[in-house]
Amino acid sequence: KQEVTQIPAALSVPEGENLVLNCSFTDSAIYNLQWFRQDPGKGLTSLLLIQSSQREQTSGRLNASLDKSSGRSTLYIAASQPGDSATYLCAPDSTDKLIFGTGTRLQVFP
Amino acid sequence: DTEVTQTPKHLVMGMTNKKSLKCEQHMGHRAMYWYKQKAKKPPELMFVYSYEKLSINESVPSRFSPECPNSSLLNLHLHALQPEDSALYLCASSAQLADNEQFFGPGTRLTVL
């Protein structure tokens, strides 16, 4: 059974910092891994999708890496801004379903 | 159109009521999903439809009844719910069942009194 853990659980930083969010999963037989952002009480916004054959994916200030063999993915956020404040969720896709991590709650203050 | 819409945004119902949640997408996606999310927890998969057929049921109680009348529409019928069923219900869609990016709607906040 896939289990997904995210570290840290919460992070509070001043704006401008470069951030690293970690995701680890127990079953490496995945199709892909998605990173999502969720604002309080809202739906999920897809940030990045990394295919199992890829090592990394970039979108703007976001960069996600995937090391499938070791069961790890990392989301890098460059030059953080207050608008980045949200909960970030990783979700590997295996056996036709997404299994979500516990999330990292990020607060970026001015 | 890259949007998944859900109605209503909020729903309050009693334990004897019958209500339905609606989800719609016009991206031509053939897989649609229902998730349940309790406060401060990650989403948990409930049902998956692929080409309008139920593909996965994660042992969800029968008081939740999904329906996929066509490739763009997904319903979740609710009957005799319990207060512990109060949660954010999220709908998602993807082009195909496996190995495809999932797009989520804004959710329906359900409160059962």
mmCIF file of all heavy atoms in Angstrom, chain B residues 5 22-34 48-54 66-77 91-94:
data_model
loop_
_atom_site.group_PDB
_atom_site.id
_atom_site.type_symbol
_atom_site.label_atom_id
_atom_site.label_comp_id
_atom_site.label_asym_id
_atom_site.label_seq_id
_atom_site.Cartn_x
_atom_site.Cartn_y
_atom_site.Cartn_z
ATOM 1 N N THR B 5 -16.089 22.363 -13.020
ATOM 2 C CA THR B 5 -17.019 23.133 -12.184
ATOM 3 C C THR B 5 -17.796 22.193 -11.270
ATOM 4 O O THR B 5 -18.082 21.044 -11.638
ATOM 5 C CB THR B 5 -18.004 23.950 -13.043
ATOM 6 O OG1 THR B 5 -18.751 23.057 -13.876
ATOM 7 C CG2 THR B 5 -17.260 24.936 -13.926
ATOM 8 N N LYS B 22 -23.014 18.003 -8.055
ATOM 9 C CA LYS B 22 -22.822 17.928 -9.506
ATOM 10 C C LYS B 22 -21.429 18.401 -9.881
ATOM 11 O O LYS B 22 -20.907 19.353 -9.292
ATOM 12 C CB LYS B 22 -23.868 18.782 -10.201
ATOM 13 C CG LYS B 22 -23.783 18.824 -11.710
ATOM 14 C CD LYS B 22 -24.877 19.730 -12.268
ATOM 15 C CE LYS B 22 -24.704 19.981 -13.746
ATOM 16 N NZ LYS B 22 -25.738 20.894 -14.284
ATOM 17 N N CYS B 23 -20.853 17.736 -10.864
ATOM 18 C CA CYS B 23 -19.517 18.085 -11.378
ATOM 19 C C CYS B 23 -19.575 18.043 -12.898
ATOM 20 O O CYS B 23 -20.155 17.121 -13.486
ATOM 21 C CB CYS B 23 -18.495 17.088 -10.849
ATOM 22 S SG CYS B 23 -16.849 17.254 -11.566
ATOM 23 N N GLU B 24 -18.936 19.022 -13.536
ATOM 24 C CA GLU B 24 -18.981 19.094 -14.994
ATOM 25 C C GLU B 24 -17.616 19.505 -15.541
ATOM 26 O O GLU B 24 -16.933 20.354 -14.954
ATOM 27 C CB GLU B 24 -20.046 20.106 -15.426
ATOM 28 C CG GLU B 24 -20.562 19.919 -16.816
ATOM 29 C CD GLU B 24 -21.928 20.587 -17.027
ATOM 30 O OE1 GLU B 24 -22.427 21.268 -16.116
ATOM 31 O OE2 GLU B 24 -22.477 20.414 -18.116
ATOM 32 N N GLN B 25 -17.238 18.898 -16.652
ATOM 33 C CA GLN B 25 -16.021 19.310 -17.364
ATOM 34 C C GLN B 25 -16.267 19.215 -18.854
ATOM 35 O O GLN B 25 -17.012 18.337 -19.305
ATOM 36 C CB GLN B 25 -14.809 18.460 -16.943
ATOM 37 C CG GLN B 25 -14.947 16.966 -17.127
ATOM 38 C CD GLN B 25 -14.580 16.424 -18.496
ATOM 39 O OE1 GLN B 25 -13.930 17.105 -19.298
ATOM 40 N NE2 GLN B 25 -14.981 15.188 -18.778
ATOM 41 N N HIS B 26 -15.637 20.143 -19.604
ATOM 42 C CA HIS B 26 -15.787 20.165 -21.056
ATOM 43 C C HIS B 26 -14.427 20.113 -21.728
ATOM 44 O O HIS B 26 -14.197 20.779 -22.743
ATOM 45 C CB HIS B 26 -16.580 21.406 -21.473
ATOM 46 C CG HIS B 26 -17.980 21.408 -20.958
ATOM 47 N ND1 HIS B 26 -18.969 20.596 -21.464
ATOM 48 C CD2 HIS B 26 -18.551 22.101 -19.932
ATOM 49 C CE1 HIS B 26 -20.096 20.801 -20.796
ATOM 50 N NE2 HIS B 26 -19.877 21.702 -19.865
ATOM 51 N N MET B 27 -13.527 19.320 -21.146
ATOM 52 C CA MET B 27 -12.191 19.163 -21.713
ATOM 53 C C MET B 27 -12.071 17.881 -22.529
ATOM 54 O O MET B 27 -10.974 17.540 -22.969
ATOM 55 C CB MET B 27 -11.166 19.153 -20.567
ATOM 56 C CG MET B 27 -11.092 20.478 -19.820
ATOM 57 S SD MET B 27 -9.913 20.467 -18.460
ATOM 58 C CE MET B 27 -10.904 19.757 -17.147
ATOM 59 N N GLY B 28 -13.184 17.142 -22.661
ATOM 60 C CA GLY B 28 -13.130 15.875 -23.385
ATOM 61 C C GLY B 28 -12.469 14.768 -22.598
ATOM 62 O O GLY B 28 -12.061 13.750 -23.162
ATOM 63 N N HIS B 29 -12.344 14.966 -21.273
ATOM 64 C CA HIS B 29 -11.727 13.947 -20.436
ATOM 65 C C HIS B 29 -12.638 12.746 -20.278
ATOM 66 O O HIS B 29 -13.863 12.878 -20.213
ATOM 67 C CB HIS B 29 -11.394 14.533 -19.056
ATOM 68 C CG HIS B 29 -10.234 15.486 -19.090
ATOM 69 N ND1 HIS B 29 -9.846 16.217 -17.979
ATOM 70 C CD2 HIS B 29 -9.374 15.821 -20.073
ATOM 71 C CE1 HIS B 29 -8.798 16.943 -18.290
ATOM 72 N NE2 HIS B 29 -8.495 16.734 -19.565
ATOM 73 N N ARG B 30 -12.039 11.544 -20.186
ATOM 74 C CA ARG B 30 -12.842 10.332 -20.096
ATOM 75 C C ARG B 30 -12.746 9.649 -18.742
ATOM 76 O O ARG B 30 -13.318 8.588 -18.542
ATOM 77 C CB ARG B 30 -12.455 9.350 -21.207
ATOM 78 C CG ARG B 30 -12.582 9.928 -22.614
ATOM 79 C CD ARG B 30 -13.882 10.698 -22.845
ATOM 80 N NE ARG B 30 -15.058 9.882 -22.678
ATOM 81 C CZ ARG B 30 -15.662 9.251 -23.688
ATOM 82 N NH1 ARG B 30 -15.180 9.339 -24.905
ATOM 83 N NH2 ARG B 30 -16.750 8.534 -23.467
ATOM 84 N N ALA B 31 -11.993 10.251 -17.821
ATOM 85 C CA ALA B 31 -11.930 9.733 -16.448
ATOM 86 C C ALA B 31 -12.359 10.843 -15.500
ATOM 87 O O ALA B 31 -11.927 11.993 -15.635
ATOM 88 C CB ALA B 31 -10.522 9.258 -16.106
ATOM 89 N N MET B 32 -13.217 10.493 -14.527
ATOM 90 C CA MET B 32 -13.687 11.469 -13.545
ATOM 91 C C MET B 32 -13.679 10.821 -12.172
ATOM 92 O O MET B 32 -13.859 9.606 -12.029
ATOM 93 C CB MET B 32 -15.079 11.985 -13.910
ATOM 94 C CG MET B 32 -15.091 12.758 -15.229
ATOM 95 S SD MET B 32 -16.661 13.533 -15.625
ATOM 96 C CE MET B 32 -16.628 14.961 -14.541
ATOM 97 N N TYR B 33 -13.444 11.671 -11.156
ATOM 98 C CA TYR B 33 -13.154 11.175 -9.810
ATOM 99 C C TYR B 33 -13.938 11.979 -8.764
ATOM 100 O O TYR B 33 -14.140 13.184 -8.920
ATOM 101 C CB TYR B 33 -11.661 11.384 -9.494
ATOM 102 C CG TYR B 33 -10.690 10.906 -10.551
ATOM 103 C CD1 TYR B 33 -10.456 11.647 -11.700
ATOM 104 C CD2 TYR B 33 -9.978 9.720 -10.374
ATOM 105 C CE1 TYR B 33 -9.553 11.221 -12.664
ATOM 106 C CE2 TYR B 33 -9.074 9.287 -11.332
ATOM 107 C CZ TYR B 33 -8.867 10.038 -12.474
ATOM 108 O OH TYR B 33 -7.968 9.610 -13.421
ATOM 109 N N TRP B 34 -14.306 11.298 -7.683
ATOM 110 C CA TRP B 34 -14.792 11.961 -6.472
ATOM 111 C C TRP B 34 -13.804 11.702 -5.341
ATOM 112 O O TRP B 34 -13.401 10.554 -5.116
ATOM 113 C CB TRP B 34 -16.160 11.444 -6.034
ATOM 114 C CG TRP B 34 -17.326 12.005 -6.782
ATOM 115 C CD1 TRP B 34 -18.186 11.340 -7.589
ATOM 116 C CD2 TRP B 34 -17.789 13.373 -6.772
ATOM 117 N NE1 TRP B 34 -19.148 12.177 -8.091
ATOM 118 C CE2 TRP B 34 -18.930 13.437 -7.606
ATOM 119 C CE3 TRP B 34 -17.360 14.544 -6.144
ATOM 120 C CZ2 TRP B 34 -19.629 14.620 -7.839
ATOM 121 C CZ3 TRP B 34 -18.059 15.719 -6.378
ATOM 122 C CH2 TRP B 34 -19.186 15.744 -7.211
ATOM 123 N N VAL B 48 -14.012 6.298 -8.955
ATOM 124 C CA VAL B 48 -13.417 6.646 -10.236
ATOM 125 C C VAL B 48 -14.312 6.106 -11.343
ATOM 126 O O VAL B 48 -14.723 4.942 -11.303
ATOM 127 C CB VAL B 48 -12.003 6.058 -10.410
ATOM 128 C CG1 VAL B 48 -11.421 6.482 -11.757
ATOM 129 C CG2 VAL B 48 -11.086 6.493 -9.277
ATOM 130 N N TYR B 49 -14.600 6.961 -12.326
ATOM 131 C CA TYR B 49 -15.306 6.555 -13.527
ATOM 132 C C TYR B 49 -14.359 6.669 -14.717
ATOM 133 O O TYR B 49 -13.627 7.646 -14.846
ATOM 134 C CB TYR B 49 -16.528 7.440 -13.783
ATOM 135 C CG TYR B 49 -17.766 6.974 -13.064
ATOM 136 C CD1 TYR B 49 -17.970 7.298 -11.728
ATOM 137 C CD2 TYR B 49 -18.722 6.205 -13.707
ATOM 138 C CE1 TYR B 49 -19.100 6.866 -11.057
ATOM 139 C CE2 TYR B 49 -19.864 5.766 -13.046
ATOM 140 C CZ TYR B 49 -20.044 6.097 -11.724
ATOM 141 O OH TYR B 49 -21.167 5.672 -11.053
ATOM 142 N N SER B 50 -14.423 5.649 -15.577
ATOM 143 C CA SER B 50 -13.656 5.669 -16.813
ATOM 144 C C SER B 50 -14.607 5.333 -17.957
ATOM 145 O O SER B 50 -15.267 4.283 -17.914
ATOM 146 C CB SER B 50 -12.509 4.657 -16.754
ATOM 147 O OG SER B 50 -11.802 4.622 -17.967
ATOM 148 N N TYR B 51 -14.714 6.221 -18.930
ATOM 149 C CA TYR B 51 -15.658 6.039 -20.045
ATOM 150 C C TYR B 51 -17.062 5.732 -19.519
ATOM 151 O O TYR B 51 -17.732 4.798 -19.966
ATOM 152 C CB TYR B 51 -15.165 4.946 -20.998
ATOM 153 C CG TYR B 51 -13.979 5.381 -21.827
ATOM 154 C CD1 TYR B 51 -12.676 5.276 -21.339
ATOM 155 C CD2 TYR B 51 -14.157 5.923 -23.091
ATOM 156 C CE1 TYR B 51 -11.591 5.699 -22.082
ATOM 157 C CE2 TYR B 51 -13.075 6.353 -23.857
ATOM 158 C CZ TYR B 51 -11.802 6.229 -23.340
ATOM 159 O OH TYR B 51 -10.725 6.653 -24.083
ATOM 160 N N GLU B 52 -17.475 6.523 -18.544
ATOM 161 C CA GLU B 52 -18.814 6.480 -17.955
ATOM 162 C C GLU B 52 -19.123 5.209 -17.183
ATOM 163 O O GLU B 52 -20.277 4.991 -16.789
ATOM 164 C CB GLU B 52 -19.913 6.741 -19.003
ATOM 165 C CG GLU B 52 -19.850 8.128 -19.616
ATOM 166 C CD GLU B 52 -19.520 8.098 -21.094
ATOM 167 O OE1 GLU B 52 -20.380 7.691 -21.879
ATOM 168 O OE2 GLU B 52 -18.383 8.464 -21.449
ATOM 169 N N LYS B 53 -18.129 4.382 -16.954
ATOM 170 C CA LYS B 53 -18.340 3.171 -16.166
ATOM 171 C C LYS B 53 -17.551 3.269 -14.856
ATOM 172 O O LYS B 53 -16.404 3.736 -14.845
ATOM 173 C CB LYS B 53 -17.891 1.934 -16.939
ATOM 174 C CG LYS B 53 -18.738 1.619 -18.153
ATOM 175 C CD LYS B 53 -18.442 0.231 -18.675
ATOM 176 C CE LYS B 53 -19.124 -0.051 -20.007
ATOM 177 N NZ LYS B 53 -20.512 0.404 -20.088
ATOM 178 N N LEU B 54 -18.176 2.799 -13.768
ATOM 179 C CA LEU B 54 -17.504 2.824 -12.481
ATOM 180 C C LEU B 54 -16.315 1.876 -12.503
ATOM 181 O O LEU B 54 -16.461 0.678 -12.750
ATOM 182 C CB LEU B 54 -18.486 2.428 -11.376
ATOM 183 C CG LEU B 54 -17.953 2.514 -9.950
ATOM 184 C CD1 LEU B 54 -17.606 3.950 -9.573
ATOM 185 C CD2 LEU B 54 -18.971 1.937 -8.967
ATOM 186 N N PRO B 66 -22.703 7.291 -6.651
ATOM 187 C CA PRO B 66 -22.233 8.071 -7.788
ATOM 188 C C PRO B 66 -23.010 7.723 -9.054
ATOM 189 O O PRO B 66 -23.603 6.647 -9.183
ATOM 190 C CB PRO B 66 -20.775 7.626 -7.915
ATOM 191 C CG PRO B 66 -20.798 6.206 -7.476
ATOM 192 C CD PRO B 66 -21.856 6.104 -6.420
ATOM 193 N N GLU B 67 -22.955 8.682 -9.993
ATOM 194 C CA GLU B 67 -23.613 8.473 -11.282
ATOM 195 C C GLU B 67 -22.858 9.262 -12.334
ATOM 196 O O GLU B 67 -22.471 10.415 -12.080
ATOM 197 C CB GLU B 67 -25.069 8.960 -11.219
ATOM 198 C CG GLU B 67 -25.827 8.828 -12.532
ATOM 199 C CD GLU B 67 -27.102 9.656 -12.545
ATOM 200 O OE1 GLU B 67 -27.214 10.633 -11.759
ATOM 201 O OE2 GLU B 67 -27.978 9.345 -13.361
ATOM 202 N N CYS B 68 -22.654 8.665 -13.506
ATOM 203 C CA CYS B 68 -21.994 9.369 -14.602
ATOM 204 C C CYS B 68 -22.903 9.275 -15.822
ATOM 205 O O CYS B 68 -22.767 8.365 -16.637
ATOM 206 C CB CYS B 68 -20.624 8.746 -14.870
ATOM 207 S SG CYS B 68 -19.593 9.687 -16.002
ATOM 208 N N PRO B 69 -23.845 10.230 -15.983
ATOM 209 C CA PRO B 69 -24.821 10.139 -17.057
ATOM 210 C C PRO B 69 -24.234 10.337 -18.457
ATOM 211 O O PRO B 69 -24.782 9.825 -19.427
ATOM 212 C CB PRO B 69 -25.833 11.255 -16.741
ATOM 213 C CG PRO B 69 -25.297 12.015 -15.597
ATOM 214 C CD PRO B 69 -24.073 11.353 -15.081
ATOM 215 N N ASN B 70 -23.138 11.093 -18.554
ATOM 216 C CA ASN B 70 -22.446 11.235 -19.836
ATOM 217 C C ASN B 70 -20.991 11.603 -19.565
ATOM 218 O O ASN B 70 -20.592 11.773 -18.407
ATOM 219 C CB ASN B 70 -23.144 12.271 -20.729
ATOM 220 C CG ASN B 70 -23.198 13.647 -20.112
ATOM 221 O OD1 ASN B 70 -22.156 14.224 -19.777
ATOM 222 N ND2 ASN B 70 -24.402 14.184 -19.952
ATOM 223 N N SER B 71 -20.218 11.737 -20.616
ATOM 224 C CA SER B 71 -18.769 11.889 -20.432
ATOM 225 C C SER B 71 -18.380 13.218 -19.804
ATOM 226 O O SER B 71 -17.247 13.380 -19.367
ATOM 227 C CB SER B 71 -18.065 11.742 -21.781
ATOM 228 O OG SER B 71 -18.518 12.733 -22.690
ATOM 229 N N SER B 72 -19.306 14.180 -19.742
ATOM 230 C CA SER B 72 -18.972 15.494 -19.187
ATOM 231 C C SER B 72 -19.479 15.700 -17.773
ATOM 232 O O SER B 72 -19.109 16.678 -17.128
ATOM 233 C CB SER B 72 -19.578 16.610 -20.059
ATOM 234 O OG SER B 72 -19.109 16.547 -21.369
ATOM 235 N N LEU B 73 -20.320 14.812 -17.311
ATOM 236 C CA LEU B 73 -21.067 15.063 -16.081
ATOM 237 C C LEU B 73 -20.887 13.931 -15.080
ATOM 238 O O LEU B 73 -20.924 12.752 -15.439
ATOM 239 C CB LEU B 73 -22.551 15.219 -16.430
ATOM 240 C CG LEU B 73 -23.511 15.697 -15.364
ATOM 241 C CD1 LEU B 73 -23.070 17.033 -14.781
ATOM 242 C CD2 LEU B 73 -24.901 15.834 -15.964
ATOM 243 N N LEU B 74 -20.696 14.311 -13.822
ATOM 244 C CA LEU B 74 -20.561 13.339 -12.737
ATOM 245 C C LEU B 74 -21.386 13.830 -11.567
ATOM 246 O O LEU B 74 -21.281 14.992 -11.176
ATOM 247 C CB LEU B 74 -19.093 13.209 -12.326
ATOM 248 C CG LEU B 74 -18.738 12.157 -11.279
ATOM 249 C CD1 LEU B 74 -18.973 10.750 -11.808
ATOM 250 C CD2 LEU B 74 -17.268 12.318 -10.844
ATOM 251 N N ASN B 75 -22.234 12.964 -11.049
ATOM 252 C CA ASN B 75 -23.067 13.312 -9.903
ATOM 253 C C ASN B 75 -22.694 12.451 -8.699
ATOM 254 O O ASN B 75 -22.183 11.331 -8.842
ATOM 255 C CB ASN B 75 -24.548 13.088 -10.220
ATOM 256 C CG ASN B 75 -25.047 13.969 -11.350
ATOM 257 O OD1 ASN B 75 -24.695 15.138 -11.433
ATOM 258 N ND2 ASN B 75 -25.862 13.397 -12.227
ATOM 259 N N LEU B 76 -22.981 12.986 -7.516
ATOM 260 C CA LEU B 76 -22.858 12.193 -6.295
ATOM 261 C C LEU B 76 -24.145 12.387 -5.513
ATOM 262 O O LEU B 76 -24.441 13.489 -5.040
ATOM 263 C CB LEU B 76 -21.650 12.649 -5.467
ATOM 264 C CG LEU B 76 -21.338 11.796 -4.224
ATOM 265 C CD1 LEU B 76 -20.979 10.363 -4.627
ATOM 266 C CD2 LEU B 76 -20.188 12.421 -3.429
ATOM 267 N N HIS B 77 -24.933 11.317 -5.433
ATOM 268 C CA HIS B 77 -26.210 11.368 -4.742
ATOM 269 C C HIS B 77 -26.007 10.993 -3.275
ATOM 270 O O HIS B 77 -25.310 10.019 -2.961
ATOM 271 C CB HIS B 77 -27.212 10.422 -5.410
ATOM 272 C CG HIS B 77 -27.430 10.713 -6.864
ATOM 273 N ND1 HIS B 77 -27.954 11.911 -7.308
ATOM 274 C CD2 HIS B 77 -27.150 9.972 -7.977
ATOM 275 C CE1 HIS B 77 -28.024 11.896 -8.637
ATOM 276 N NE2 HIS B 77 -27.543 10.737 -9.065
ATOM 277 N N CYS B 91 -14.220 17.085 -6.959
ATOM 278 C CA CYS B 91 -14.330 16.344 -8.207
ATOM 279 C C CYS B 91 -13.074 16.628 -9.023
ATOM 280 O O CYS B 91 -12.504 17.739 -8.947
ATOM 281 C CB CYS B 91 -15.567 16.803 -8.954
ATOM 282 S SG CYS B 91 -15.742 16.118 -10.615
ATOM 283 N N ALA B 92 -12.626 15.651 -9.786
ATOM 284 C CA ALA B 92 -11.470 15.832 -10.661
ATOM 285 C C ALA B 92 -11.709 15.091 -11.967
ATOM 286 O O ALA B 92 -12.567 14.198 -12.046
ATOM 287 C CB ALA B 92 -10.201 15.323 -9.996
ATOM 288 N N SER B 93 -10.945 15.467 -12.990
ATOM 289 C CA SER B 93 -11.015 14.747 -14.249
ATOM 290 C C SER B 93 -9.617 14.637 -14.846
ATOM 291 O O SER B 93 -8.715 15.415 -14.508
ATOM 292 C CB SER B 93 -11.955 15.440 -15.238
ATOM 293 O OG SER B 93 -11.397 16.649 -15.719
ATOM 294 N N SER B 94 -9.440 13.639 -15.716
ATOM 295 C CA SER B 94 -8.187 13.487 -16.460
ATOM 296 C C SER B 94 -8.506 12.896 -17.822
ATOM 297 O O SER B 94 -9.566 12.297 -18.016
ATOM 298 C CB SER B 94 -7.191 12.605 -15.698
ATOM 299 O OG SER B 94 -7.681 11.291 -15.545
#
